[in-house]
Amino acid sequence: MRTEEEMFHIIINTARSDDRVLAAYLKGSRANPNVLRDIYQDFDIMYVVKETESFRADLSWMDPFGKVILKQEQDDVFGYGDRFGLRSHYDRTYSWLLIFEDGNRIDIGVETVEAMREGSNRNKLFLPLLDKTGCLPKLPPPTDEDFYVRKPGAEQFRGCCNEFFWSLCDVAKGIFRDELPFAMTTYYAQPHHMLEIMLGWYIGSRTDYSVSCGKQNKYFKRYLPETIYRLYQQTFPDSSYAHFWKSMDTSCRLFRETAVLVAESLGVVYPEEYEQGFITYVKAVSGGSGAD
């Protein structure tokens, strides 16, 4: 596998030798001073260019990067362009995700100077690699503060609690109907997502809202106390309904414990009525069984 130094040498030399490229900068985790380095990190690269069309029309400019074994680009159906609403304005910016035979990965984009100046493709994780024309902005050293957990207001807190218990009622309904796809998808999309938001706020309340939990909360293990993280692990069920109920019980316990602490830190009251409403609903429709 090529080293980080080798990859950056190729990336920068490719930009330097192409007259269409005006500048290059690094984004993402490799620009983040708080992220531990490993071989799995992408090289998130942006080339500032005179125009984008020629880069899209002929991909031979990527050849120096190596043999691509898997590629996704911004205009692919069901790809990241669809997920993030990016299937437009290709004359201003376009990008590709590339995996190479040695395991390295480059997520690379091209953008015009005008698009770069608007800043829609960058945040404070910005590290200049090459600037032929002096077009790149002069910014402070990279920081991930754009991704810090944000302190919630009272309405956000109550809304999270309400959605957690309300949507758990739908999960329970799916289990009682033996509709596993509905129950499982709803569980992860709604109440489990609210649990993770609350855990993020719990971390924020313990760190003065000065850390990032990472993409998809990948740093939970780093910031949550060991006992809480072990409970969090138990909130992931398998296809057994008996195990599903246990995971839901653990989710409720973990949500309540952390929400009470977050409420104290915010100076608000934990809304007990939402939790009691869920418990009453499950007992009413199950004849007293199910979640017990």
Side-chain angles (χ1 to χ4, degrees), residues 61 78 147 225 262:
W61 62 275
F78 293 121
F147 305 98
V262 171

Side-chain angles (χ1 to χ4, degrees), residues 43 45 47 61-62 65 94-96 98 106-110:
F43 292 83
I45 305 296
Y47 284 171
W61 62 275
M62 295 182 182
F65 298 153
Y94 198 76
S95 56
W96 301 261
L98 311 170
I106 297 177
D107 296 356
I108 190 163
V110 292

